[in-house]
Amino acid sequence: MTAPTPLADVFPRFTEADWQRAAARTRRGVAAGPESPALFPRRASARAITGSVGGQPWVVAGRVDAVATEDAIAGARAELEGGATAIDVATTGGSHPLTARLPRDAVAALLAALPEGTIVRVDMDDVALADIAVARKLELFVAVDPVARIASGAATEVDETRMAQLAERGVAAAAIADGRPWHAGGASDEQELGVALATFVHHLRLIGGKVDVVLVADADQFRTIAKFRAMRLLLARVGEVAGIDIAPRIHAETAWRSMSARDPQMNILRATSAAFGAAAGGADSITVLPFDVLAGGDGHGRRLARNTQIILAEEAQMFRVADPAAGSGAIEAMTEALAEAAWARFQRIEAVGGIVPAILRGGLLREVAEARKARLAEVAAGLVKIVGVNAVAGAPAPRSDECGRLVYRRLAEAYET
């Protein structure tokens, strides 16, 4: 009888030097400084970076957006019955780059129709809604960032009284530090992190601990993992410097900026990669935008968006390991680099008086506009490949731009006219 052959013996064995030579060949002709090695050594001593619910299932949020109140109620029920554990209500007039359709005066009826104990995120800072949520025993998160409204030109100042009133109610969060408008406006990862951190500190000074953070999960899953891990480090550093114990929740939403109206089925793959990155990066809750949301969306798109998360959680069991990226040399290095760059940006914002003065002075908005223009130029030149968009299309149509406020641009937008 033939002795069994160990599986490992079937494959050739390579040393680290072999891997280094192979990596060098793949990088030939690519500019890279010493800070970007091809291979990163394993960080065996790395510690897991987790939030307050590390190793526990994240909250699966389903986006609710409809023209009529009864349709919104039916949509919310479909999300909950289909496996979502939270509702993300999108209304008209919000600062989100994705246009919503639900009238703001319909939200009260929607909240009144939800089962007790439902987790709800609402992009309105109406105190009356907080009272309804408390009476209905809903866990309400006010997903409004007054600072982002200033940056987008929708407001000129922060309504501190409103924020304080909400904080005094029994809401889970009275405001958010929202990275989504900045990401949609073209911000780099370090810009999004730095601005979100500065916004968080601004709100913290006004209303204390009832502030959460929202970041964008993009299709680059490794970068997304590093970004969410970096935010944990940044928040911990704020708590250390301020001498207080803070543990804000971090919500993730898949990237509007990376969605395409052309060949929209590719958005499913982008959202899956983004959701994976957010989950592996330790997001406390996630919203996946439906692949067809740019065209209005339907029940099929919402079901796929919901099931993307459910499969990752329940079938892939991703939540079982707290911070699965801990110890990965490449991701640890990327996390540290992002955290350091974002902290430096945060310090520059604080040096001019905080996030609101930084916006009103115009320099921060100009920097974001420059990042946006540079990225769109890379897309136009084909340096950034988008399957179904510039990988198969001709030159993009020219677009006018400005830097006096946040201007929302999708990467594929210029190819769709």
Side-chain angles (χ1 to χ4, degrees):
M1 183 175 180
T2 305
T5 301
L7 182 61
D9 291 350
V10 177
F11 299 94
R13 297 179 182 273
F14 298 99
T15 66
E16 183 176 342
D18 294 327
W19 283 105
Q20 292 286 1
R21 284 192 292 270
R25 287 196 298 271
T26 64
R27 289 160 59 88
R28 189 168 299 163
V30 177
E35 72 282 2
S36 302
L39 296 176
F40 294 82
R42 178 171 174 256
R43 301 276 190 90
S45 61
R47 295 166 55 182
I49 301 173
T50 61
S52 58
V53 292
Q56 299 296 317
W58 65 87
V59 173
V60 176
R63 187 174 188 271
V64 174
D65 174 25
V67 175
T69 305
E70 57 270 22
D71 292 335
I73 294 173
R77 289 174 176 166
E79 291 293 337
L80 295 172
E81 292 169 0
T85 51
I87 299 300
D88 198 348
V89 181
T91 65
T92 58
S95 59
H96 195 288
L98 182 62
T99 302
R101 301 169 296 172
L102 183 65
R104 299 171 78 83
D105 58 8
V107 177
L110 172 60
L111 295 185
L114 294 175
E116 288 187 1
T118 302
I119 300 172
V120 190
R121 301 180 71 256
V122 180
D123 59 356
M124 292 175 59
D125 56 357
D126 189 339
V127 176
L129 296 181
D131 294 336
I132 293 173
V134 171
R136 291 283 303 159
K137 297 181 181 179
L138 306 176
E139 189 173 355
L140 181 66
F141 292 80
V142 178
V144 175
D145 183 356
V147 168
R149 290 178 55 80
I150 294 174
S152 65
T156 57
E157 60 183 5
V158 174
D159 188 341
E160 299 180 10
T161 302
R162 180 77 60 86
M163 293 178 66
Q165 289 174 339
L166 286 166
E168 292 170 356
R169 298 307 202 268
V171 298
I176 58 172
D178 198 353
R180 295 173 299 176
W182 296 91
H183 187 273
S188 65
D189 289 333
E190 61 93 358
Q191 287 174 332
E192 181 188 353
L193 286 171
V195 169
L197 186 65
T199 303
F200 175 82
V201 170
H202 176 272
H203 295 340
L204 190 66
R205 290 179 175 130
L206 294 176
I207 60 174
K210 287 194 173 183
V211 184
D212 282 351
V213 176
V214 181
L215 297 177
V216 173
D218 218 330
D220 186 335
Q221 66 183 34
F222 299 114
R223 191 80 175 175
T224 294
I225 293 171
K227 180 164 74 171
F228 280 79
R229 298 177 83 245
M231 180 51 82
R232 292 284 183 204
L233 295 178
L234 293 166
L235 292 169
R237 179 59 176 158
V238 167
E240 180 184 358
V241 171
I244 57 176
D245 184 18
I246 56 173
R249 288 159 292 246
I250 300 180
H251 179 74
E253 183 176 280
T254 55
W256 170 87
R257 186 174 81 187
S258 298
M259 299 188 79
S260 171
R262 174 183 292 178
D263 197 6
Q265 287 76 14
M266 291 305 302
N267 294 330
I268 301 173
L269 300 181
R270 297 181 185 111
T272 300
S273 182
F276 177 93
D284 296 305
S285 57
I286 303 175
T287 298
V288 173
L289 297 180
F291 78 96
D292 55 355
V293 73
L294 296 178
D298 58 18
H300 175 59
R302 292 190 294 273
R303 179 173 179 270
L304 282 177
R306 184 171 63 248
N307 285 350
T308 296
Q309 295 195 62
I310 293 173
I311 291 171
L312 287 174
E314 300 299 332
E315 296 192 22
Q317 293 283 292
M318 281 194 63
F319 68 89
R320 294 291 182 188
V321 179
D323 194 8
S328 165
I331 294 179
E332 292 284 3
M334 193 181 300
T335 299
E336 292 169 359
L338 275 175
E340 290 172 1
W343 184 259
R345 178 166 295 280
F346 164 70
Q347 289 180 311
R348 292 196 295 272
I349 292 173
E350 286 292 288
V352 298
I355 184 64
V356 174
I359 293 171
L360 297 179
R361 289 184 178 211
L364 179 59
L365 293 173
R366 283 192 295 272
E367 290 177 4
V368 171
E370 290 168 1
R372 176 180 68 245
K373 293 175 183 177
R375 184 177 294 101
L376 292 177
E378 290 179 344
V379 173
L383 299 176
V384 174
K385 295 293 185 183
I386 306 176
V387 178
V389 182
N390 64 349
V392 296
R399 294 274 178 160
S400 59
D401 221 335
E402 63 175 282
C403 60
R405 61 180 178 86
L406 286 178
V407 176
Y408 302 148
R409 291 277 188 270
R410 287 182 296 107
L411 301 183
E413 193 173 312
Y415 293 85
E416 298 168 353
T417 55

